[in-house]
Amino acid sequence: MTALIWTGVLVLGGTGAVCRFLLDRAVSARHTRGFPFGTLAVNLSGAFLLGFLGGLALDRHTALLAGTAFVGSYTTFSTWMLETQRLGEERRIWPAVGNIVVSVALGLVAAWLGMSLGGRV
């Protein structure tokens, strides 16, 4: 890989992480009911975006930069799992199960919608 690609990964990865932080905080500040709405919003928008990028059929380097660097650092599987596990530890079983079901089901729908839209562009 060239230095330009590594620089792109660095910049887009950092940008994705900052965007995740900002969206998570903005959503979490408005919804304080103990459910991880911020992480849900990040992961659903990331699934849509990655689907959209996949639908565009980008070249190899652009897909790496946009999909892996930006969206990969934007979305957060580990936080989703930790928050779900904590809900379970707190004996909040229905919110924990809801977090899993809603995240997976709506994530698949978001990715499909993104691919559909990206394929039309």
Side-chain angles (χ1 to χ4, degrees), residues 54-71:
L56 293 177
L58 302 170
D59 69 84
R60 179 170 72 97
H61 293 299
T62 305
L64 172 71
L65 289 172
T68 304
F70 181 80
V71 180

Side-chain angles (χ1 to χ4, degrees), residues 38-90:
T39 302
L40 180 64
V42 165
N43 287 339
L44 293 180
S45 60
F48 176 83
L49 181 57
L50 192 57
F52 181 77
L53 294 170
L56 293 177
L58 302 170
D59 69 84
R60 179 170 72 97
H61 293 299
T62 305
L64 172 71
L65 289 172
T68 304
F70 181 80
V71 180
S73 67
Y74 174 71
T75 57
T76 176
F77 181 80
S78 58
T79 302
W80 173 57
M81 287 288 95
L82 180 63
E83 290 170 342
T84 302
Q85 193 267 337
R86 283 185 178 162
L87 287 169
E89 280 182 351
E90 295 169 358

Side-chain angles (χ1 to χ4, degrees), residues 35-37 39-40 79-85 87 93-105:
F35 186 84
F37 287 108
T39 302
L40 180 64
T79 302
W80 173 57
M81 287 288 95
L82 180 63
E83 290 170 342
T84 302
Q85 193 267 337
L87 287 169
I93 302 304
W94 286 115
V97 170
N99 194 31
I100 294 168
V101 171
V102 168
S103 293
V104 171

